[in-house]
Amino acid sequence: MQIMDGAELLRREALWLREIASRTRLFTAELPDLDDEELRKVRKAVLHAWFRYRCPVSLQFVTNYVAVSVTAVGMAVVSSGAGGVAALFARNSESSTTRAPWWLFLVATWAAVCLSLIVNARSDWRQIASLLRHLGFRGLARRLTSAHVGTWFVPAVALVLVVVAVVTVWLSVVTALSAPAGQQLIIAAAGLFGAVLGLVGNRWILSIQELLRRKYRARHGPRPLDGLLVELLVAAAVTFEGRASWWDLRHIKSVRRRLAFAIEAAQDTSVIRRRTTGREWAARRRARAFHAMLAELIRRHDRAVTQVCTAEEYDTIAASLRAGVLALAVEDLPGLMQHSTAEPSVSRVARLVRRAASSLVLVVFALVIPILPGVDGATGGGVRVLLLMTAALALTPANDLASSSVRSALERSLVTKSTN
């Protein structure tokens, strides 16, 4: 890794712009039956959209550092809170003579988070390992002691994460083996929560990066449909490029992956939000409806790709994507949208409530059940912790499996307490 001074940043910007121009030529060359005038218009529109849509190299580095740091702090706070809840539940479920140390639950949760992050980012770890082998011990020490953040941030974060994971796993295993049987189940539940939390670490990083890049991108930056034009061109190019092996599963997955990026770009209304204020609900609602129609139009192609049975059907899908690229390039939105229907308009509050509905119900029952007549204090406290942990897990992508596993482990712990 080189020191990223001003000259190096300018050089990388120039290389990146040259790469964008080269990719534009390659992707547009894959579109068949374009005359010289159409090819010139498409290349010009896509190239300008790509220049506006891109994120400067300097902003990429800064947002990467900030996103990794914020994610690490956020996961440490969340895992510590989950460990604290597990320790509180263990204190109410066992006698003081057989109680495991309170810090064990925090360590177990944090160890699971670190191991899950390492497993989830295995491709990145291979690249880091290759870089470390290339640098050697002296090169690594020289970069870790450098005053520039760009030279030591990545290897330092990698080394810290590995050391923390090894130490915490060792402490968790050694201490958990000596913990009471009933509390080992609680430790396992805390570790399961940490593993699920670590699996979404990359999503946290990418979300924070995208948020910062949208906020600090240049004022004369992207137009509302620049990202869609770029991603749809790539999807169409990949579709035509693999025409000879349209039935191959790997090619179908590649096309669907590019269409997923196009759907995400179609749903992006950040440019509209920056143009309007929070009180302009009507303008934002119309913008969301329009982008919902674009996303639904691309989803139809994605569903059609999964059901394609003949080469003629595949050619129809490819031709439709090509027509979409041409319509976006010449800004023919009526022609692009003539066969699309909008999804039902749903407010952001309604989407949030719908996503967190199960967790809200669990939280309400956690507050109500312990105060009902006939429920003693110990049982009510245990049920409250059980419901709160399940509510937290219900917000994760793996909510069904994780919630059922944690609920089963904690219920067994409650049964163990009641039979003792």
Side-chain angles (χ1 to χ4, degrees):
M1 299 178 67
Q2 299 177 358
I3 297 178
M4 301 296 294
D5 54 7
E8 178 63 19
L9 285 175
L10 289 177
R11 188 184 72 84
R12 288 181 177 246
E13 287 282 2
L15 291 176
W16 194 17
L17 294 177
R18 183 187 302 174
E19 180 69 16
I20 289 176
S22 176
R23 290 185 180 184
T24 302
R25 288 193 298 270
L26 290 176
F27 291 144
T28 53
E30 295 292 339
L31 302 181
D33 302 329
L34 291 179
D35 56 32
D36 293 340
E37 182 64 19
E38 289 178 332
L39 185 61
R40 185 186 65 81
K41 289 182 178 180
V42 171
R43 284 182 176 176
K44 180 180 179 181
V46 173
L47 188 61
H48 289 176
W50 213 328
F51 284 166
R52 294 188 297 262
Y53 183 63
R54 72 183 184 90
C55 180
V57 174
S58 57
L59 186 58
Q60 288 185 36
F61 278 98
V62 173
T63 55
N64 185 32
Y65 301 152
V66 174
V68 171
S69 303
V70 172
T71 301
V73 174
M75 290 203 164
V77 172
V78 175
S79 61
S80 299
V85 171
L88 178 63
F89 180 77
R91 187 182 64 178
N92 295 331
S93 62
E94 295 290 342
S95 61
S96 58
T97 57
T98 59
R99 187 182 304 154
W102 63 269
W103 52 264
L104 174 61
F105 303 95
L106 279 71
V107 171
T109 309
W110 181 239
V113 170
C114 294
L115 287 178
S116 184
L117 285 172
I118 292 175
V119 173
N120 195 28
R122 52 189 178 274
S123 59
D124 296 331
W125 282 105
R126 285 194 291 266
Q127 297 179 4
I128 294 175
S130 176
L131 174 64
L132 296 180
R133 286 196 301 268
H134 175 72
L135 292 176
F137 180 78
R138 292 184 178 179
L140 178 62
R142 186 165 54 251
R143 280 157 177 76
L144 289 177
T145 57
S146 173
H148 199 281
V149 65
T151 62
W152 58 261
F153 184 82
V154 173
V157 170
L159 289 177
V160 169
L161 186 60
V162 171
V163 171
V164 170
V166 172
V167 173
T168 51
V169 167
W170 177 77
L171 286 174
S172 301
V173 172
V174 170
T175 315
L177 293 177
S178 60
Q183 294 194 355
Q184 286 179 352
L185 294 175
I186 305 176
I187 295 172
L192 179 62
F193 179 88
V196 175
L197 182 64
L199 290 177
V200 298
N202 287 344
R203 186 176 300 180
W204 282 24
I205 294 175
L206 294 177
S207 299
I208 296 173
Q209 283 180 343
E210 187 63 22
L211 177 64
L212 294 175
R213 290 174 183 180
R214 289 176 181 175
K215 182 176 181 58
Y216 295 103
R217 193 173 286 172
R219 295 291 182 183
H220 56 280
R223 298 176 183 176
L225 300 180
D226 282 346
L228 177 60
L229 177 57
V230 171
E231 299 296 347
L232 194 61
L233 171 66
V234 177
V238 171
T239 305
F240 281 105
E241 185 181 10
R243 168 63 176 79
S245 57
W246 61 267
W247 64 86
D248 187 73
L249 181 60
R250 289 176 296 182
H251 173 64
I252 295 297
K253 289 183 177 180
S254 177
V255 172
R256 295 196 65 197
R257 183 167 59 250
R258 300 313 313 186
L259 288 175
F261 291 148
I263 293 172
E264 184 178 356
Q267 294 174 329
D268 183 16
T269 59
S270 59
V271 177
I272 303 297
R273 290 196 299 269
R274 287 198 297 268
R275 292 178 178 178
T276 58
T277 63
R279 294 174 293 179
E280 297 177 287
W281 299 104
R284 293 192 175 196
R285 184 170 59 253
R286 288 193 298 270
R288 285 197 301 268
F290 175 70
H291 284 265
M293 287 191 292
L294 288 174
E296 176 60 23
L297 185 60
I298 302 174
R299 286 194 188 95
R300 292 181 183 179
H301 292 78
D302 179 67
R303 291 191 292 266
V305 167
T306 62
Q307 302 170 6
V308 66
C309 298
T310 63
E312 289 74 14
E313 294 179 356
Y314 184 88
D315 290 338
T316 301
I317 298 171
S320 179
L321 293 175
R322 171 186 174 276
V325 173
L326 293 178
L328 284 174
V330 299
E331 300 180 353
D332 182 16
L333 296 184
L336 177 67
M337 305 297 297
Q338 61 182 349
H339 300 299
S340 179
T341 56
E343 291 183 337
S345 180
V346 182
S347 66
R348 183 178 302 177
V349 176
R351 293 195 301 268
L352 180 62
V353 171
R354 182 182 301 174
R355 180 180 178 183
S358 59
S359 296
L360 293 175
V361 172
L362 291 172
V363 170
V364 170
F365 277 99
L367 297 176
V368 172
I369 289 179
I371 63 177
L372 293 177
V375 179
D376 57 34
T379 303
V383 171
R384 173 177 292 173
V385 174
L386 171 63
L387 292 177
L388 289 177
M389 292 187 68
T390 307
L393 283 171
L395 296 175
T396 63
N399 53 2
D400 294 334
L401 176 61
S403 298
S404 60
S405 301
V406 173
R407 185 170 57 252
S408 177
L410 294 179
E411 286 174 351
R412 287 196 297 269
S413 176
L414 287 174
V415 171
T416 302
K417 176 194 173 184
S418 61
T419 56
N420 289 340

